Amino acid sequence: MFTINLFTLPIHRFKIGVLLLLFFLFSNYSKAQQHDNPIGATVTGKIVDSLTLVPVEYASLSLLNQEDNKVVNGNTTDDKGEFVLTGVAEGRYKLLIYFVGYKTGSKNNIMVGKPNTVTNVGDIVLVSTETKLKVVEVTTEKSLIENHIDKMVYNAEQDVTSQGGVASDMLKKIPQVSVDVDGNVELQGNANIRFLINGKPSTLFGNNIADVLQSIPANQIQSIEVITSPGAKYDAEGTGGIINIILKKVTAQGVNGNVSLSGGTRFESGNFNVNARKGKIGVNIFGSGNTLLLSQGSTQTNRTSLDAITNETTNFNQYGTSNKSRGGANAGIGFDWEMTPKDNFNASFNYNYFTNHGDGINNRHTIVNDGGGNTISDFKDALANNADFYANSYDWSASYKRTFKKEGQELSVLYNSSNGKNNYSFWQKENYLNPDTVYAGTSGKNPLANHETNIEINYTQPLKKDVVLEMGAKTVLNEITSESDLSLLNTYNEMFYYNSPLSSSLNYSRNIYAGYLSATFKLFKWLDVKAGCRDEYTESSAFYSNSGNITFNPYNTIVPSIFISHTFNKNQTLKLSYNHRIQRPDYSDLNPFVNTSDPQNITTGNPNLHPEVGDKVEFTYTKAFEKGSSINIVLFYRGNKDDIQSFVTYYSNYVIGDSTYHNVAVTTRENVGREDNYGLNIYGSIPITKKMNLRTNISLFERYIINGALAGSNVQGFNYRINGNFSYQVTETLIIEAFGNFNSPRTNVQGKVQSFTSYNFALRKQFFHKKFSIALNANNPFNKYMNQTTELTGSNFTLYTFRQVPMRSFGINLTYKFGKMEFKRQKEDEEMNQPPQGGS
């Protein structure tokens, strides 16, 4: 018997297969277009929000026979809220419309004529599950999680348990996303994620992303978009996918906003948001500040290593406590101008800042034995260290969009610039215990400047019914300068003196030139297809003071993508997608600065990293039930080549400049080899009663790593994550929630990180017509610390680390909303409370 396993084929053959599939689809589509006489009539229309009149994207529709209520046809609306039902027999029908967060809409007595005729039912309005149709106040309760055709949207304002928290707390709630105890984020098991703010890149994310996400207050976030399989229009960067953080902004007429204050045992924050709109001009201003109060944790490390030359075995033990604190601030202003009904201009300026501080004292015990097990040395000492980091960025953007007479035709131009500066500094001193005498020390500074400019143009052209062509081009210009200044301690006067051989500088430049073409069309009259291809050309150059010019060969990356979906009767959708992605090393990965704040555990960047490339296939099933329940199931495969991961290497002697460090574990980033992941994610939402709701997510995947960094030590591991969110609406103004999360042990290229559990509880009470609210929250109230164990293995060492990370906290949040939200139509204010023609 002869069988073929798709995932064992070489990846270049897989790409060829996808391109052949694209050719087949387009060919069949072209042939299908030669027969424009479908059997039956056509029903068309548009679905809009009852208040804003904004199109409702990807709502599900069912066409029923008016007499016996049997479903005869179905489809979904496109990204403009429009729908087309073809092949409908002559007769009388009714249409039902479903979308999460809205009441079921309907249109009765739709009369359909003879074949080849078109019946347009006009605009049909959907009403949100809780709406007041007054020109005073609007309350719309959205679902916490919304599934769109190409992304998942997490509506942060609906999450009570994250009130008073930060962005990392919210990401824990999103299906397919996991966050570890240090705030590091993975999407479907992949940490190489492209982060955006309001759809735009920022140099702020070039720093430690975990720190950045813990500096953005949850109260400042409107929603978070998760895109696991981006299409051709998106940048190819990020083999894991894209996470887009949308900050709060309201486009309603009038002046409105909110003020929020949070306090607690570990976290404090304050923020405000003000929106003003008059006619065609709108302005949004926001600001926030937050701090993680000083907290203390502990770390215990045991490392056993072998010197292959001397055959000596070293057992190194280190135990100590560390104090950490963190703070951040961001502010911005946005301007929107509807110049004409077809021309829109907007601009924004954002400022971001965050800082963290850490210090600690560690006791160390080093025992060296010869090959026969005899002790050569037994040495005890202590290490004191101190580290500070701060970063800021200035981001500004301007965009122009032009729509045309033809529905769906538009042109947009965007300019975005981001300037970031950050500085890391540290000092450490080593001392004997008896007598207590300092014998060595190092200090270092690493200032860095990063400037990035993005210029892009996009154009959309509808060709005929159900056929839309998209195209665009983009340029990304990136310049980085960095200094690494290291000093050694003079033990006689305890002063640090600059050391030239240890110090260095780096100038790095990277330019990306991209273009894409994408088409959306119907295939066989029942499949919705979106297929495209993006091409990105990358050229880089660098100058490193210790080795001169570094040569990088320019490279071209072709990024195909395809989405095929079909909506069945009874609100069921199947989607198959494929895309190709690239992960270019970030400057934090490339930065050759050597951090010796802990001389036995050194970290540094790797200027010789290659880009990681990946292919991904997803199969998705979604079903929404009439009573509000929903389920989303995703099967996926992801394969990465030149996979970039953290990698630890042990050195008996490690030379930096004119200094030699002994018994050192060096952590850097490496292209470790090839990684394949096969996974399943199941998300479900169940309204147990009208007031009680349960949401749960199960994510599991099998990981295979062909280890090129350590030949013959391939890795296989099973990982899973389970969480649940329970909410109970006690009264109209009082809600309680509980959230729990369990992460299994995580396998990586050299070992594993043990499992961990987190949980929190919250309640929110609203007052004064829901304009003022008080929220109380408790995170891990029954455990002061979260215990974290890591086990790593290298060619000549084993490493065991046990950490106690402070997690327990209690907090309170106060929020006040002010102003009125008037969703008026500029030319027809008097029709504010009237549904559009065609509604029922």
Side-chain angles (χ1 to χ4, degrees):
M1 181 176 180
F2 181 73
T3 61
I4 295 177
N5 186 341
L6 172 65
F7 300 123
T8 62
L9 293 175
I11 203 66
H12 69 276
R13 295 185 185 175
F14 183 57
K15 292 181 187 176
I16 293 173
V18 172
L19 293 175
L20 290 173
L21 176 61
L22 287 173
F23 177 80
F24 170 79
L25 293 175
F26 277 115
S27 299
N28 278 276
Y29 174 74
S30 300
K31 294 177 182 177
Q33 292 304 300
Q34 299 173 9
H35 306 281
D36 279 336
N37 296 308
I39 299 175
T42 300
V43 179
T44 64
K46 187 176 183 178
I47 310 299
V48 298
D49 183 276
S50 63
L51 288 175
T52 65
L53 303 185
V54 171
V56 179
E57 303 177 3
Y58 311 117
S60 299
L61 305 102
S62 294
L63 188 68
L64 293 78
N65 189 299
Q66 186 78 42
E67 305 301 326
D68 56 15
N69 285 329
K70 290 185 177 180
V71 177
V72 298
N73 208 325
N75 205 343
T76 59
T77 59
D78 59 19
D79 57 1
K80 296 178 178 59
E82 299 174 350
F83 66 88
V84 178
L85 301 172
T86 57
V88 182
E90 185 176 359
R92 188 161 63 100
Y93 300 92
K94 70 177 179 180
L95 187 67
L96 297 181
I97 307 99
Y98 312 92
F99 194 71
V100 177
Y102 288 88
K103 297 179 180 177
T104 300
S106 64
K107 176 73 176 177
N108 296 315
N109 297 312
I110 300 173
M111 302 303 300
V112 176
K114 297 180 179 180
N116 297 320
T117 60
V118 177
T119 300
N120 190 320
V121 299
D123 289 354
I124 301 177
V125 298
L126 282 190
V127 180
S128 63
T129 52
E130 186 179 345
T131 306
K132 297 179 180 179
L133 295 174
K134 298 281 185 178
V135 189
V136 177
E137 187 177 327
V138 176
T139 303
T140 303
E141 295 296 334
K142 293 184 178 180
S143 172
L144 182 67
I145 303 288
E146 294 178 0
N147 285 298
H148 295 249
I149 193 169
D150 63 342
K151 61 188 175 185
M152 182 179 297
V153 180
Y154 168 85
N155 292 305
E157 294 175 299
Q158 305 304 315
D159 185 0
V160 177
T161 56
S162 293
Q163 297 293 322
V166 292
S168 296
D169 299 319
M170 292 185 162
L171 287 168
K172 297 175 183 177
K173 313 292 184 65
I174 303 177
Q176 306 183 72
V177 177
S178 62
V179 183
D180 68 15
V181 294
D182 296 310
N184 300 305
V185 182
E186 290 187 345
L187 180 55
Q188 291 183 342
N190 191 332
N192 295 322
I193 304 167
R194 173 74 160 169
F195 280 92
L196 304 173
I197 295 181
N198 294 332
K200 305 178 186 71
S202 173
T203 56
L204 192 67
F205 286 119
N207 300 296
N208 187 318
I209 292 177
D211 278 343
V212 176
L213 295 174
Q214 293 179 79
S215 70
I216 303 176
N219 290 328
Q220 198 63 42
I221 299 173
Q222 177 175 305
S223 62
I224 299 176
E225 298 177 346
V226 176
I227 308 170
T228 56
S229 294
K233 187 175 182 178
Y234 294 96
D235 290 341
E237 186 75 30
T239 53
I242 296 173
I243 293 180
N244 182 25
I245 298 174
I246 308 294
L247 302 181
K248 286 183 178 178
K249 180 182 178 182
V250 180
T251 58
Q253 294 285 334
V255 178
N256 54 79
N258 62 74
V259 178
S260 180
L261 294 174
S262 297
T265 57
R266 293 192 65 233
F267 188 82
E268 295 177 348
S269 69
N271 61 76
F272 72 90
N273 193 302
V274 179
N275 308 277
R277 189 168 188 89
K278 179 69 175 178
K280 298 180 179 180
I281 297 178
V283 177
N284 167 255
I285 301 174
F286 70 89
S288 68
N290 65 89
T291 181
L292 177 70
L293 303 178
L294 189 68
S295 59
Q296 186 177 86
S298 65
T299 302
Q300 180 179 348
T301 299
N302 177 270
R303 183 176 69 234
T304 301
S305 54
L306 173 67
D307 189 322
I309 298 176
T310 64
N311 204 31
E312 294 175 351
T313 301
T314 301
N315 185 267
F316 173 75
N317 289 278
Q318 179 170 291
Y319 173 81
T321 58
S322 59
N323 302 301
K324 291 186 177 180
S325 61
R326 185 178 61 245
N330 57 73
I333 182 170
F335 172 80
D336 182 84
W337 177 25
E338 188 178 349
M339 305 159 64
T340 73
K342 295 184 180 299
D343 297 275
N344 180 269
F345 173 81
N346 68 67
S348 65
F349 173 80
N350 289 358
Y351 171 76
N352 304 283
Y353 171 84
F354 73 86
T355 181
N356 61 51
H357 167 82
D359 62 71
I361 297 178
N362 292 277
N363 293 313
R364 307 184 302 190
H365 187 191
T366 306
I367 302 174
V368 180
N369 295 324
D370 62 19
N374 302 309
T375 300
I376 299 175
S377 68
D378 189 329
F379 179 68
K380 294 182 179 180
D381 65 346
L383 169 72
N385 52 25
N386 183 293
D388 290 284
F389 179 77
Y390 69 85
N392 60 56
S393 72
Y394 302 86
D395 304 338
W396 57 87
S397 66
S399 65
Y400 166 77
K401 182 164 74 173
R402 166 77 176 178
T403 58
F404 300 87
K405 186 174 295 186
K406 189 172 186 178
E407 180 72 21
Q409 183 183 6
E410 67 178 45
L411 172 71
S412 64
V413 181
L414 172 68
Y415 172 85
N416 181 73
S417 181
S418 182
N419 288 275
K421 290 185 177 181
N422 57 261
N423 186 74
Y424 174 79
S425 61
F426 75 89
W427 63 259
Q428 58 85 4
K429 295 180 180 179
E430 301 170 88
N431 62 284
Y432 300 115
L433 297 182
N434 189 18
D436 188 357
T437 306
V438 175
Y439 67 87
T442 309
S443 70
K445 293 182 180 180
N446 181 212
L448 183 145
N450 184 13
H451 175 69
E452 181 176 308
T453 299
N454 290 256
I455 304 171
E456 65 178 291
I457 181 170
N458 300 287
Y459 178 70
T460 303
Q461 175 66 58
L463 299 179
K464 57 193 321 184
K465 185 169 67 175
D466 294 334
V467 183
V468 178
L469 191 67
E470 294 178 278
M471 62 189 72
K474 182 174 183 178
T475 297
V476 181
L477 309 175
N478 193 207
E479 295 285 341
I480 298 170
T481 59
S482 173
E483 299 287 336
S484 299
D485 297 332
L486 289 176
S487 301
L488 296 179
L489 180 69
N490 185 318
T491 57
Y492 294 100
N493 58 14
E494 294 198 7
M495 298 288 291
F496 289 98
Y497 292 94
Y498 177 78
N499 183 283
S500 180
L502 290 176
S503 304
S504 62
S505 62
L506 172 70
N507 294 326
Y508 179 78
S509 159
R510 181 170 66 197
N511 299 330
I512 303 171
Y513 308 97
Y516 75 91
L517 181 66
S518 175
T520 304
F521 54 91
K522 282 277 189 182
L523 183 65
F524 309 129
K525 301 174 186 176
W526 63 279
L527 285 177
D528 296 302
V529 180
K530 186 169 187 176
C533 190
R534 186 180 184 90
D535 185 80
E536 294 192 347
Y537 180 80
T538 306
E539 57 181 21
S540 305
S541 62
F543 175 80
Y544 183 36
S545 61
N546 287 3
S547 57
N549 291 316
I550 301 175
T551 301
F552 300 98
N553 293 325
Y555 53 92
N556 194 71
T557 307
I558 296 178
V559 188
S561 62
I562 184 168
F563 301 83
I564 305 172
S565 68
H566 176 67
T567 298
F568 298 85
N569 296 332
K570 298 182 180 180
N571 263 353
Q572 301 179 83
T573 301
L574 285 176
K575 182 180 73 172
L576 178 66
S577 66
Y578 161 79
N579 68 2
H580 179 71
R581 305 283 291 169
I582 184 172
Q583 179 68 41
R584 301 176 183 88
D586 213 329
Y587 71 80
S588 58
D589 300 326
L590 300 168
N591 187 0
F593 173 69
V594 180
N595 184 348
T596 57
S597 58
D598 184 344
Q600 262 63 52
N601 296 281
I602 293 175
T603 59
T604 184
N606 181 2
N608 299 312
L609 282 175
H610 301 295
E612 172 186 313
V613 293
D615 294 270
K616 189 172 188 180
V617 179
E618 277 191 4
F619 184 71
T620 304
Y621 170 76
T622 303
K623 179 174 175 58
F625 301 88
E626 291 188 6
K627 293 185 179 182
S629 297
S630 65
I631 188 170
N632 178 265
I633 302 174
V634 180
L635 282 167
F636 70 88
Y637 160 77
R638 184 184 69 252
N640 297 337
K641 184 177 70 173
D642 287 329
D643 194 41
I644 299 176
Q645 290 194 30
S646 291
F647 196 81
V648 179
T649 306
Y650 171 78
Y651 296 91
S652 299
N653 300 289
Y654 187 70
V655 179
I656 308 173
D658 58 357
S659 298
T660 300
Y661 292 82
H662 304 286
N663 187 28
V664 177
V666 178
T667 301
T668 187
R669 302 280 279 175
E670 295 284 352
N671 295 110
V672 298
R674 177 171 182 83
E675 179 179 326
D676 295 285
N677 291 269
Y678 306 83
L680 169 68
N681 189 88
I682 303 173
Y683 169 79
S685 178
I686 306 171
I688 301 173
T689 67
K690 288 184 178 180
K691 294 186 176 183
M692 194 180 302
N693 190 279
L694 176 65
R695 291 179 292 273
T696 185
N697 182 72
I698 301 173
S699 182
L700 34 135
F701 63 93
E702 187 81 14
R703 170 177 287 174
Y704 298 86
I705 301 175
I706 301 175
N707 195 337
L710 289 174
S713 58
N714 297 339
V715 176
Q716 176 181 350
F718 179 70
N719 302 262
Y720 62 95
R721 170 178 176 254
I722 302 173
N723 67 40
N725 194 99
F726 171 84
S727 64
Y728 180 65
Q729 191 79 45
V730 183
T731 68
E732 186 180 355
T733 59
L734 176 63
I735 186 173
I736 59 175
E737 283 194 7
F739 174 79
N741 177 76
F742 174 79
N743 278 50
S744 73
R746 290 177 292 124
T747 304
N748 59 39
V749 68
Q750 289 182 283
K752 66 173 55 179
V753 180
Q754 294 301 318
S755 63
F756 66 90
T757 303
S758 62
Y759 55 94
N760 50 45
F761 307 95
L763 66 86
R764 181 179 65 192
K765 173 67 176 176
Q766 296 173 305
F767 304 88
F768 311 123
H769 305 289
K770 298 186 178 181
K771 289 188 173 183
F772 178 73
S773 67
I774 299 177
L776 303 176
N777 58 75
N779 295 315
N780 289 62
F782 306 117
N783 302 91
K784 183 177 181 179
Y785 297 101
M786 182 178 292
N787 297 330
Q788 184 74 79
T789 302
T790 305
E791 298 175 359
L792 301 178
T793 302
S795 60
N796 57 348
F797 77 94
T798 58
L799 175 65
Y800 171 88
T801 303
F802 176 77
R803 300 168 57 212
Q804 286 192 312
V805 183
M807 293 295 292
R808 182 166 62 193
S809 67
F810 301 91
I812 182 172
N813 170 261
L814 309 176
T815 298
Y816 175 68
K817 300 179 181 179
F818 58 87
K820 298 179 180 180
M821 299 166 63
E822 302 178 4
F823 291 92
K824 292 185 179 180
R825 301 166 67 180
Q826 294 176 6
K827 296 183 179 180
E828 302 177 277
D829 288 351
E830 70 278 2
E831 297 181 11
M832 166 85 181
N833 295 320
Q834 301 297 324
Q837 293 184 359
S840 58

